[in-house]
Amino acid sequence: MQIVILDTLEQVAEYGAARFIDLLAKKPDAALGLATGSTPIQLYKTLIRHFEQGDVSFRDARTFNLDEYLGLSGDHPQSYRHFMNTQLFDHIDIDRSQTRVPDGAAEDPLAACDAYEDAIREAGGIDLQLLGIGRNGHIGFNEPSSSLASRTRVKTLTPDTVKANQRFFKPDEFQPNLAMTMGIGTIMEARQILLLATGEGKAEAVREAVEGPVAARCPASILQMHPRATLVLDREAAQGLRDVAFYEYIERENQRLLGRLK
Ligand SMILES: N[C@@H]1[C@@H](O)[C@H](O)[C@@H](COP(=O)(O)O)O[C@@H]1O
């Protein structure tokens, strides 16, 4: 794992955006795995700014989102399709027909999950998968105890996750406790993984993911088994890590080496 520790949310977002911009410069039709939640919002704002400045185009890109609530149609204000449209797709030159979010309103959700797996395979797999991390270490909606080899499927959300996401729903509004999510096995097939985490609320999950054992009780810990996983953290999210000085030393050496190779 590459651990990048930065001072501010803006720097985390800028670092993440640069990874997408570099990839799209090399591979304009890259398949991008996208995430939702509050953490990626600043990254999407940064990508929009770079698009407006002419630094990046999404014209030929394809996207696959990690997850969607089961029971919400794409035009529901709390659906992840609506989130992605308003936070990113409405503001860049992507072909909307090339953006895929699991279909939370599918008649047959199980068949829709299988079709999602097929669509990712037909696209040639995901080049860069963006992740956030839940306070309990979940990625996508793969909650603790999820199989580390799981595929896209319907998952029951833990009460903690429902509570953490309650902030997006009105008090009397239906809040799903089921979701369709890319599985951990699906996520791990992405050629590159970029996990962003900010705020002290993620410190415990980050510590478990980075310095704990690979274990289903912390789904994000599986990233220790990925050949190209990068975690970009602010200092609050990194505060539980034991070896911060070492991660910062490695990153400085990384940047020095890259500087020599360019
Ligand atoms: N399904 C999403 C995850 O993909 C996201 O990583 C997590 C953390 O979100 P936030 O960034 O708001 O803390 O929330 C939800 O559970």
Side-chain angles (χ1 to χ4, degrees), residues 165-202:
N165 289 340
Q166 212 155 34
R167 67 191 191 277
F168 300 118
F169 294 84
K170 297 188 190 74
D172 57 347
E173 193 172 15
F174 161 68
Q175 180 183 353
N177 69 341
L178 292 175
M180 298 161 77
T181 181
M182 276 190 207
I184 295 175
T186 319
I187 291 167
M188 288 294 280
E189 287 175 354
R191 284 178 275 280
Q192 285 186 68
I193 293 180
L194 178 71
L195 186 150
L196 308 186
T198 58
E200 62 178 346
K202 301 298 173 70

Side-chain angles (χ1 to χ4, degrees), residues 50-123:
H50 280 292
F51 164 68
E52 289 167 346
Q53 289 169 187
D55 304 330
V56 63
S57 169
F58 297 84
R59 192 179 40 254
D60 300 322
R62 285 85 48 78
T63 70
F64 292 89
N65 260 78
L66 272 172
D67 45 17
E68 178 58 278
Y69 284 114
L70 193 56
L72 297 188
S73 63
D75 52 8
H76 187 291
Q78 297 313 328
S79 71
Y80 284 173
R81 163 55 79 181
H82 183 271
F83 174 98
M84 290 307 305
N85 289 344
T86 53
Q87 296 291 344
L88 183 62
F89 300 150
D90 288 349
H91 311 282
I92 58 175
D93 60 345
I94 197 155
D95 174 352
R96 189 66 58 90
S97 69
Q98 294 304 311
T99 65
R100 298 288 297 259
V101 178
D103 180 1
E107 280 297 304
D108 180 345
L110 301 183
C113 289
D114 293 342
Y116 206 68
E117 286 279 334
D118 294 344
I120 294 171
R121 216 177 355 265
E122 281 148 27

Side-chain angles (χ1 to χ4, degrees), residues 153-169:
R153 70 210 181 292
V154 174
K155 273 299 279 182
T156 304
L157 307 184
T158 63
D160 263 5
T161 296
V162 172
K163 189 160 171 286
N165 289 340
Q166 212 155 34
R167 67 191 191 277
F168 300 118
F169 294 84

